[in-house]
Amino acid sequence: MLNDTLGINAAGHLTFDGQDTAELAKEYGTPLYLMSEDRLRYNCRLYRQSMTEGFGPDSMPLFAGKSFCLTAMYPILAEEGFGADVVSGGELYTALCAGFPADRLYFHGNGKTDREIRFGVGAGIGYFVVDSPEELEAVSDLARSMGKKQKILLRLTPGIDPHTFAQVNTGRLDCQFGVPLETGEAMAFAEQALRCPGVELVGFHCHIGSQIFSWTPFRDAADRMLRFMRDLKAKTGFVTRILNLGGGFGVRYTEYDPEVDIPASIAALAEHIKARCGEWDLAMPQLRMEPGRSIVADAGLSLYTVQALKRIEGGKNYAVVDGGMSDNPRYALYQASYTVYSANRANDPADMVCTVAGRCCESGALLQEGVSLPAPKRGDLIAMCCTGAYQYSMASNYNRVGRPPVLLLSGAGNRLIAKREEYPDLVKLDL
Ligand code: LLP
């Protein structure tokens, strides 16, 4: 099995977090997203403890809300000592609705509108992560007009290529996020921030990419950021208090993916940063990291029911299920790999190679190819593993298929944390 959240019980059913997935499918229907609270908290603690040990008690992991943004996430994050990043007024609203402490929120995004800026400043959020010179002026002016001084970080692009897939590679020079270090624009950006009366510059942010399996790209990014902090200090006397290195540690979607040792990676990174700060005579900044995927991905699992098996002569075997790119667009978008098991016949020989096809009306709307399953028949249950990140948050209503519910599996009792989207929900915005 892919990881220790999974097992097979005496009935031959796949278990997730110790619970019978076929029973859960019967009780809640499919498609169904499951989320394990224990795994989620375990992943949070890996970051919290490793960062405290490596970087000291004033460091803090921030959850990247874009990976899984639901009201129920935020009380868990608050209890686990996390902050959070938000990238839109909608994510900010969700966190605030959940009562998440506003001062632990970091507002990212390259296209913030005046309305969103006012919302964030008015809500008293901790930091804006300012993405462009235009946004800097806007935050400063709007904060001033509201009688406030807003704390900010500046987003810089360190020009590191972590060799991940192109769609999620965001630290390169030529991209739409942040301001590049290499061209000298970052220095001008920081000097502009120091002159803006409505903001207080506290530090810097970078994010180099996603699904990164080694700590060394983070080391290289940190080096460039620290060098910049040293140059800025020499030029202006400014002392950086917060350094945010973004998110991006990878997860095991399949047995071919390596496992990241998060505590060891963070310890190595911390040692490197401390040494560099000593060498370059910099005060050790408070560190932030922004994991999303590595907090929620392996805490999630999706269940589907097979509706048909199409055996194409000279072609593939298509197991057509009751969900698809509307609840998980990642294969259609990125050809993302997943591990797929039979949920109701987990002990049967997996003797048929299948393409798991979604129900959405286009030929690219597949969920996975080359999957070995016991020859699926209508009514069989299929589990896709490691689906906690960027599934629910990227789901759509394409074909007016409602989004599945999310069931939080918990020792304290299972709890729906998002309802199934029903037909009336689908027309509620129609005029
Ligand atoms: N911080 C910033 C500024 C980010 O842009 C991201 C992800 C993260 C943190 C979290 O990265 P993580 O730890 O989750 O790798 N939709 C794509 C992923 C896009 C990630 C974009 N930024 C996918 O489904 O793989």
Side-chain angles (χ1 to χ4, degrees):
M1 303 251 101
L2 181 66
N3 62 49
D4 59 10
T5 59
L6 300 158
I8 300 175
N9 66 14
H13 295 169
L14 182 75
T15 61
F16 177 57
D17 200 16
Q19 301 201 36
D20 184 323
T21 56
E23 287 299 322
L24 293 171
K26 202 180 332 163
E27 188 174 348
Y28 294 94
T30 60
L32 175 65
Y33 296 112
L34 303 177
M35 184 60 81
S36 156
E37 183 171 355
D38 277 356
R39 191 64 173 202
L40 197 67
R41 288 188 186 268
Y42 173 82
N43 290 339
C44 286
R45 284 169 201 172
L46 277 186
Y47 274 94
R48 188 74 186 109
Q49 284 166 11
S50 314
M51 287 187 69
T52 303
E53 276 164 31
F55 296 121
D58 61 4
S59 65
M60 189 191 284
L62 315 175
F63 175 65
K66 58 181 78 68
S67 61
F68 185 74
C69 187
L70 267 185
T71 314
M73 261 312 272
Y74 290 92
I76 296 176
L77 293 168
E79 279 173 27
E80 295 298 337
F82 265 57
D85 86 24
V86 295
V87 295
S88 67
E91 286 188 2
L92 172 58
Y93 182 79
T94 308
L96 294 174
C97 278
F100 195 79
D103 61 343
R104 282 198 237 160
L105 289 173
Y106 290 66
F107 197 167
H108 283 280
N110 56 353
K112 298 180 196 81
T113 62
D114 284 1
R115 179 174 175 231
E116 287 176 313
I117 293 170
R118 266 192 227 101
F119 180 25
V121 174
I125 65 160
Y127 300 85
F128 273 72
V129 181
V130 176
D131 201 89
S132 64
E134 294 91 326
E135 183 193 329
L136 181 53
E137 293 298 332
V139 173
S140 178
D141 291 350
L142 290 167
R144 225 150 67 109
S145 73
M146 295 166 78
K148 299 211 183 191
K149 194 160 179 131
Q150 177 62 51
K151 284 193 276 190
I152 61 166
L153 309 183
L154 299 181
R155 178 162 179 169
L156 308 179
T157 31
I160 299 289
D161 178 359
H163 306 295
T164 180
F165 45 109
Q167 289 93 331
V168 294
N169 186 336
T170 44
R172 287 168 303 128
L173 179 62
D174 184 9
C175 83
Q176 73 273 45
F177 305 105
V179 169
L181 276 180
E182 292 160 62
T183 59
E185 286 161 85
M187 186 61 76
F189 193 27
E191 288 176 311
Q192 180 193 352
L194 291 171
R195 286 192 306 268
C196 279
V199 298
E200 178 190 350
L201 179 63
V202 182
F204 300 97
H205 168 274
C206 66
H207 173 78
I208 54 173
S210 210
Q211 191 62 348
I212 302 169
F213 289 100
S214 158
W215 71 279
T216 56
F218 293 97
R219 172 200 64 195
D220 297 345
D223 267 353
R224 294 196 183 179
M225 298 296 280
L226 292 168
R227 188 175 300 121
F228 172 77
M229 285 157 50
R230 181 192 64 179
D231 294 350
L232 181 65
K233 187 177 153 206
K235 192 161 183 211
T236 67
F238 177 77
V239 175
T240 301
R241 280 175 283 149
I242 292 186
L243 175 61
N244 183 336
L245 293 177
F249 275 125
V251 300
R252 284 185 87 225
Y253 287 106
T254 72
E255 296 185 2
Y256 303 105
D257 290 324
E259 190 144 13
V260 179
D261 183 339
I262 288 174
S265 302
I266 291 179
L269 190 58
E271 206 167 306
H272 180 83
I273 291 175
K274 276 190 242 167
R276 270 284 184 273
C277 285
E279 196 179 321
W280 289 344
D281 195 25
L282 287 168
M284 178 75 181
Q286 297 176 24
L287 261 290
R288 304 283 180 266
M289 296 180 86
E290 293 170 341
R293 194 188 307 271
S294 50
I295 298 295
V296 282
D298 70 359
L301 180 138
S302 307
L303 290 171
Y304 301 100
T305 304
V306 174
Q307 304 300 309
L309 177 69
K310 302 266 175 78
R311 304 191 65 165
I312 310 296
E313 236 185 87
K316 295 181 184 142
N317 302 315
Y318 292 90
V320 184
V321 299
D322 54 355
M325 67 184 281
S326 47
D327 62 77
N328 181 359
R330 294 191 71 254
Y331 190 77
L333 277 175
Y334 319 122
Q335 285 76 55
S337 299
Y338 286 99
T339 302
V340 177
Y341 297 114
S342 167
N344 61 323
R345 296 159 60 205
N347 279 328
D348 291 6
D351 49 11
M352 183 179 276
V353 177
C354 300
T355 292
V356 181
R359 58 174 302 160
C360 293
C361 301
E362 58 186 78
S363 51
L366 305 175
L367 284 169
Q368 200 61 204
E369 293 184 89
V371 167
S372 295
L373 287 169
K377 51 184 191 322
R378 187 172 168 92
D380 274 347
L381 295 167
I382 284 183
M384 276 185 75
C385 304
C386 210
T387 57
Y390 303 109
Q391 256 92 142
Y392 189 76
S393 62
M394 291 175 74
S396 74
N397 297 129
Y398 184 41
N399 291 169
R400 289 241 151 162
V401 174
R403 276 171 288 200
V406 185
L407 181 68
L408 187 73
L409 304 182
S410 164
N414 296 342
R415 171 164 73 96
L416 275 179
I417 56 172
K419 286 196 276 195
R420 185 178 296 285
E421 206 165 24
E422 301 290 358
Y423 298 140
D425 299 320
L426 294 168
V427 295
K428 71 172 184 280
L429 300 178
D430 297 3
L431 296 173

